[in-house]
Amino acid sequence: ERSFADFRKWIQSRFSDYLDPAETGLLLGLLAGDRSGIPEALRNDFQRSGLVHVLAISGFHVVLLAGMLMIFLKATRLPHRIVRIIAVILLLLYVPITGGSPAVRRAVLMFAVPQIGTLLQRPANTLNSLGVALLFILLPEPSVLWNPGFQLSVAATAGILIGGPLNPLNKISDNLKKNKIWTKFQDFVLNPTYVTLCATLATAPFLIHHFKTLSPFAWLGNIVVVPGISLGMQAGLFALMSP
């Protein structure tokens, strides 16, 4: 734990040379799960706008990190099996670096299960991966079930996985699919809106219960803010790795 705490301090020192304290605190929260440096006013703004979930390390952050890891590892020309094994090991190390929250464990296990399944030549199934992750988390620690972050993470994931195949945009005509303008509009506006709607509906009961609030415009904020958070995380990772 001391080593992981020292690593988080090193990340903070790298950013503090170039950024102001609020920006350093935000990046440290996004990359390492340490939100102690995020100003209270900024946290309140995220909560009121229904975007507080982007400050907690969860599936979105792990998927982004895993994608970047896979790109870097594949660029080394290593065999695919070795790339998958290294990626799983590095992400398992990422869990204690971020404090090991249930949401992070869920996301990392959901990444690891299909990777290991591919090594064993077993087909991937996202709902099955979610089920395996929940078993590994809940069996040794059943009380996690009442953790608000865990509930929101699982609900959002389940909502997206169940709602994905039901997307009405999958049934549009072939003529529209060939239209480049429509394709761009669907990829950058309609599909993100639908995914956000699925996650919002699934998490709404938990948000109302725990935080007594629900922003009706959270879906719009997600479409604008999440890509920006994604770019910020990528820039932060590149900055950490650069001399």
Side-chain angles (χ1 to χ4, degrees):
E1 177 56 33
R2 190 180 295 112
S3 300
F4 293 129
D6 290 341
F7 184 67
R8 288 191 289 269
K9 286 180 182 177
W10 174 79
I11 294 176
Q12 184 177 15
S13 67
R14 287 277 286 167
F15 289 141
S16 60
D17 290 340
Y18 305 99
L19 304 173
D20 66 39
E23 292 170 337
T24 298
L26 182 59
L27 264 179
L28 190 63
L30 292 173
L31 292 174
D34 183 353
R35 288 179 285 171
S36 59
I38 301 176
E40 190 67 28
L42 182 58
R43 256 189 280 196
N44 290 337
D45 287 342
F46 273 99
Q47 187 164 327
R48 280 197 300 271
S49 59
L51 297 167
V52 71
H53 64 90
V54 302
L55 298 181
I57 299 285
S58 60
F60 161 69
H61 305 77
V62 172
V63 166
L64 183 63
L65 183 63
M68 293 185 69
L69 266 178
M70 295 295 277
I71 290 171
F72 283 126
L73 290 171
K74 286 177 180 177
T76 63
R77 305 285 182 90
L78 287 168
H80 287 299
R81 292 174 65 87
I82 303 299
V83 165
R84 294 179 191 279
I85 292 170
I86 294 174
V88 169
I89 292 171
L90 289 176
L91 279 177
L92 288 173
L93 284 172
Y94 183 63
V95 174
I97 287 174
T98 60
S101 73
V104 175
R105 282 182 274 161
R106 192 271 312 158
V108 170
L109 284 168
M110 282 193 69
F111 170 79
V113 169
Q115 298 302 322
I116 295 170
T118 302
L119 293 175
L120 301 174
Q121 297 183 339
R122 293 287 185 271
N125 180 288
T126 48
L127 278 174
N128 180 62
S129 300
L130 176 60
V132 172
L134 295 184
L135 283 174
F136 272 99
I137 293 169
L138 289 171
L139 284 178
E141 194 180 354
S143 60
V144 170
L145 185 63
W146 310 113
N147 181 292
F150 177 74
Q151 292 176 355
L152 290 169
S153 174
V154 173
T157 304
I160 292 169
L161 295 181
I162 294 169
L166 305 175
N167 190 343
L169 296 170
N170 295 334
K171 300 176 181 178
I172 62 172
S173 66
D174 291 335
N175 288 334
L176 269 179
K177 288 180 180 177
K178 294 174 183 176
N179 188 303
K180 291 184 178 180
I181 297 176
W182 172 264
T183 302
K184 295 283 186 186
F185 181 64
Q186 181 176 334
D187 289 344
F188 291 101
V189 178
L190 295 182
N191 283 338
T193 300
Y194 179 76
V195 169
T196 304
L197 179 64
C198 290
T200 302
L201 291 175
T203 55
F206 301 100
L207 286 169
I208 293 170
H209 174 71
H210 291 295
F211 303 108
K212 308 296 186 288
T213 182
L214 182 68
S215 172
F217 296 104
W219 63 271
L220 179 61
N222 275 284
I223 292 172
V224 176
V225 170
V226 168
I229 292 290
S230 170
L231 290 172
M233 284 184 65
Q234 291 177 61
L237 281 172
F238 279 117
L240 285 177
M241 290 184 291
S242 71

